[in-house]
């Protein structure tokens, strides 16, 4: 059974940083592109970032560019999202997802497995 477990969320002040982790079990992430999405209350789920199989190619949503960095450690079967210069509008539940395709995608429907999410709250 596949599990993606996010951790590292919490409450921080604007301008601060958080590092989210996504630990996978039941699948080998080196065979998957991985992505991060987020969903704020009353809003649709939004693409944040994706990373390809090897980790050499990354893409970011407009809200994440220049502030967030996605990375992966295939040996640890874990994906990370380093978030810096956080803003109150970054407040959301952050989800990790796995895509069987090699390249990664910004489309929710391209992902095969999802975690339960971790809450990130940024105070002003």
């Amino acid at each position: 059974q596949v599990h993606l477990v996010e951790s590292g969320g919490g409450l921080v002040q604007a301008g601060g940083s958080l590092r989210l982790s996504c630990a996978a079990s039941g699948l080998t992430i080196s065979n998957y592109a991985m992505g991060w999405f987020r969903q704020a209350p009353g809003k649709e789920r939004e693409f944040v970032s994706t990373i390809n199989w090897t980790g050499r190619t990354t893409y970011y949503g407009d809200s994440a560019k220049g502030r967030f960095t996605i990375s992966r450690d295939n040996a640890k079967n874990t994906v990370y999202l380093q978030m810096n210069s956080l803003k109150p509008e970054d407040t959301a539940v952050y989800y990790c997802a796995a895509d069987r395709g090699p390249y990664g995608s910004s489309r929710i429907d391209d992902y095969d497995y999802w975690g339960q999410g971790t809450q990130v709250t940024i105070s002003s």
Side-chain angles (χ1 to χ4, degrees):
Q1 191 172 4
V2 175
H3 291 285
L4 300 176
V5 180
E6 302 93 338
S7 62
L11 171 64
V12 297
Q13 290 187 331
S17 298
L18 282 173
R19 188 194 195 202
L20 305 184
S21 298
C22 172
S25 60
L27 63 78
T28 301
I29 70 165
S30 58
N31 296 327
Y32 292 78
M34 301 296 293
W36 286 96
F37 291 77
R38 69 186 186 185
Q39 189 165 17
K43 295 187 177 181
E44 295 185 350
R45 194 165 295 192
E46 174 190 21
F47 168 70
V48 175
S49 183
T50 187
I51 187 167
N52 76 333
W53 286 2
T54 64
R56 293 176 182 174
T57 303
T58 58
Y59 296 100
Y60 297 90
D62 289 342
S63 62
K65 289 178 182 176
R67 300 188 299 128
F68 295 1
T69 303
I70 190 171
S71 61
R72 63 192 299 156
D73 186 336
N74 288 344
K76 293 183 178 180
N77 226 30
T78 301
V79 180
Y80 305 96
L81 185 69
Q82 177 67 43
M83 305 189 295
N84 299 328
S85 302
L86 285 161
K87 306 174 182 179
E89 50 264 45
D90 293 319
T91 295
V93 177
Y94 282 70
Y95 297 91
C96 171
D99 172 9
R100 287 195 184 97
Y103 304 114
S105 172
S106 62
R107 298 177 63 241
I108 291 172
D109 290 346
D110 286 342
Y111 288 81
D112 302 286
Y113 301 103
W114 291 84
Q116 294 299 306
T118 185
Q119 177 69 48
V120 171
T121 304
I122 312 302
S123 63
S124 58

